[in-house]
């Protein structure tokens, strides 16, 4: 059989995960991963990506090995994020900010990021602070997820004072109730719930397992987990992002760039219409790919080039 490629060329050039997983090194860092590693059909070492326990231990090993995260956990059945893809979002956002900084990525805790729906895994603040030393505010609607995220931060002392979590108490709002009048964010990021119903989320999970295992599954088994608010909302990602665009108008001077992942390319047409109605000054669509999976980041700002430059001088010096 043909061996798999060693380099994942679709990932961002600065992504630490462009090479195929070095399982002996990962096991050396995190021995608990070893029980889940075996040879695949190509004769390479791998794990069963349809096994949620294997995926969690892989994540722990990656976080320890590449980002010096000593402890990380999520409650059972909560979303377990694929680390390479989440790191890609962070790197592309660094590129976005560099466009306002003479092509130099702004680093340090003076750069403040809002993570909308940080989840129990708290992965974007963990990666963003570890890679670029940015500071974060993470919002979350689920108290149990917020407690788990706080535990992950508490267990890694380097994040203390660098990441602050806020509860969203109103399910009808996304930014409202989170962004305070005196808040200033250089960027907001978001991984919205993709599906429009529990049934659609379950069907999507079954398709994912089929693709991983090459056979049909009758029962939903979430290899990456996910609670209802993480996976679906009324109207799906389109309605969620449309609402976020409308709410962002109120906070146009609190945040330089608003951004969100967009899973379905067909949603872009209506989202661009929503941005035009919001009268944004600039918008960008940033393409991403992790292997065969393609996605994109939608970014918008209400600040024209002159105001963006004034922001840079005021915030970054």
């Amino acid at each position: 059989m043909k061996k798999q490629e060693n380099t994942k060329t679709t990932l961002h050039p600065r992504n630490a995960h462009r090479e195929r997983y070095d399982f002996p090194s990962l096991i050396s860092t995190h021995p608990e991963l070893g029980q889940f590693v075996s040879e695949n059909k190509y004769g390479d070492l791998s794990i069963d990506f349809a096994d949620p326990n294997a995926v969690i231990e892989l994540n722990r090993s990656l976080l320890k090995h590449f980002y010096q995260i000593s402890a990380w956990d999520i409650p059972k059945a909560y979303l377990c994020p694929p680390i390479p893809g989440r790191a890609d979002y962070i790197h592309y956002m660094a590129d976005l900010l560099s466009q306002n900084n003479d092509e130099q990525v702004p680093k340090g805790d003076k750069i403040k990021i809002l993570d909308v729906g940080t989840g129990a895994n708290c992965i974007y603040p963990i990666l963003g602070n570890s890679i670029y030393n940015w500071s974060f505010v993470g919002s979350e609607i689920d108290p149990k997820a917020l407690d788990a995220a706080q535990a992950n931060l508490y267990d890694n002392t380097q994040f203390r004072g660098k990441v602050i979590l806020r509860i969203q108490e109103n399910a009808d709002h996304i930014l409202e109730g989170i962004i305070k009048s005196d808040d200033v964010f250089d960027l907001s990021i978001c991984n919205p719930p993709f599906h429009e119903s529990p049934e659609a989320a379950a069907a999507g999970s079954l398709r994912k397992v089929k693709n991983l295992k090459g056979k049909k599954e009758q029962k939903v088994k979430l290899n990456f987990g996910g609670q209802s608010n993480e996976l679906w909302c009324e109207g799906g990602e389109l309605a969620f992002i449309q609402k976020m665009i409308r709410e962002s108008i109120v906070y146009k001077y609190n945040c330089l760039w608003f951004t969100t992942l967009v899973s379905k390319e067909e949603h872009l047409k209506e989202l661009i219409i929503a941005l035009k109605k919001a009268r944004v000054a600039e918008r960008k669509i940033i393409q991403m790919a992790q292997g065969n999976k393609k996605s994109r980041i939608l970014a918008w700002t209400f600040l024209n080039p002159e105001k963006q430059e004034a922001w840079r001088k005021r915030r970054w010096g």
Side-chain angles (χ1 to χ4, degrees):
M1 283 200 178
K2 183 181 177 182
K3 283 238 175 187
Q4 292 177 293
E5 295 294 329
N6 287 328
T7 304
K8 305 169 186 176
T9 54
T10 58
L11 291 176
H12 189 282
R14 292 195 301 276
N15 197 317
H17 310 290
R18 285 172 61 84
E19 301 296 322
R20 295 196 69 241
Y21 296 135
D22 182 349
F23 281 102
S25 293
L26 293 175
I27 292 169
S28 177
T29 301
H30 183 65
E32 293 86 345
L33 176 64
Q35 62 182 307
F36 298 101
V37 175
S38 61
E39 283 194 4
N40 62 16
K41 63 182 180 181
Y42 300 102
D44 296 321
L45 292 177
S46 187
I47 66 166
D48 179 3
F49 284 92
D51 180 351
N53 294 317
V55 172
I56 286 176
E57 293 302 340
L58 174 62
N59 271 14
R60 287 177 177 145
S61 70
L62 292 172
L63 289 171
K64 281 184 182 180
H65 191 78
F66 290 98
Y67 306 106
Q68 294 72 57
I69 306 304
S70 59
W72 180 84
D73 199 11
I74 53 174
K76 187 176 180 180
Y78 275 71
L79 189 64
C80 183
I83 301 298
R86 300 301 193 256
D88 244 28
Y89 192 169
I90 293 294
H91 287 300
Y92 279 109
M93 292 301 89
D95 289 347
L96 178 63
L97 291 179
S98 75
Q99 295 173 24
N100 297 109
N101 196 46
D102 298 324
E103 303 305 319
Q104 298 296 313
V105 174
K107 300 178 181 179
D109 56 12
K110 64 183 177 181
I111 305 302
K112 192 172 181 180
I113 314 295
L114 173 63
D115 180 19
V116 178
T118 198
N121 54 73
C122 201
I123 199 63
Y124 288 123
I126 286 173
L127 292 176
N129 182 265
S130 298
I131 299 169
Y132 295 114
N133 197 28
W134 294 339
S135 61
F136 280 79
V137 169
S139 72
E140 179 53 52
I141 198 168
D142 179 352
K144 184 176 179 181
L146 196 77
D147 288 344
Q150 191 63 66
N152 281 322
L153 297 174
Y154 185 81
D155 287 340
N156 296 276
T157 57
Q158 65 268 39
F159 300 124
R160 293 181 189 176
K162 302 289 185 68
V163 182
I164 298 169
L165 301 180
R166 296 176 183 172
I167 189 74
Q168 173 56 271
E169 296 178 343
N170 190 330
D172 291 330
H173 298 315
I174 299 171
L175 303 176
E176 184 177 339
I178 293 297
I179 299 180
K180 300 176 182 178
S181 60
D182 59 346
D183 274 333
V184 179
F185 294 105
D186 299 292
L187 183 77
S188 75
I189 59 179
C190 180
N191 187 10
F194 293 150
H195 301 289
E196 67 276 2
S197 68
E199 293 77 18
S205 297
L206 286 173
R207 284 193 300 272
K208 185 186 291 184
V209 172
K210 180 185 176 184
N211 290 337
L212 288 169
K213 302 186 77 170
K215 63 181 181 179
K216 267 193 173 183
E217 293 282 330
Q218 299 301 318
K219 187 177 179 182
V220 178
K221 184 180 181 182
L222 296 173
N223 61 324
F224 289 98
Q227 295 295 293
S228 59
N229 59 286
E230 295 177 305
L231 299 176
W232 72 274
C233 67
E234 188 174 348
E237 79 167 4
L238 177 59
F240 186 95
I241 298 172
Q242 286 173 326
K243 180 186 288 188
M244 186 161 64
I245 291 171
R246 291 193 299 271
E247 290 192 14
S248 70
I249 298 171
V250 178
Y251 305 102
K252 62 175 68 176
Y253 300 121
N254 295 86
C255 186
L256 174 57
W257 286 100
F258 296 91
T259 79
T260 180
L261 286 174
V262 181
S263 174
K264 299 178 181 178
E265 188 173 16
E266 60 266 29
H267 289 163
L268 287 175
K269 183 177 180 181
E270 291 192 57
L271 292 174
I272 289 172
I273 291 172
L275 290 174
K276 287 179 178 178
K277 288 181 179 178
R279 302 182 69 179
V280 302
E282 188 178 352
R283 67 175 187 266
K284 295 177 183 289
I285 298 170
I286 302 165
Q287 301 293 336
M288 290 199 309
Q290 292 90 45
N292 294 324
K293 180 185 177 184
K294 294 183 179 180
S295 62
R296 67 280 318 149
I297 302 164
L298 181 64
W300 67 96
T301 181
F302 294 93
L303 306 185
N304 61 29
E306 291 77 17
K307 289 179 179 178
Q308 291 179 38
E309 175 62 14
W311 181 288
R312 181 190 71 81
K313 289 180 178 179
R314 184 174 69 253
R315 293 274 301 143
W316 308 341

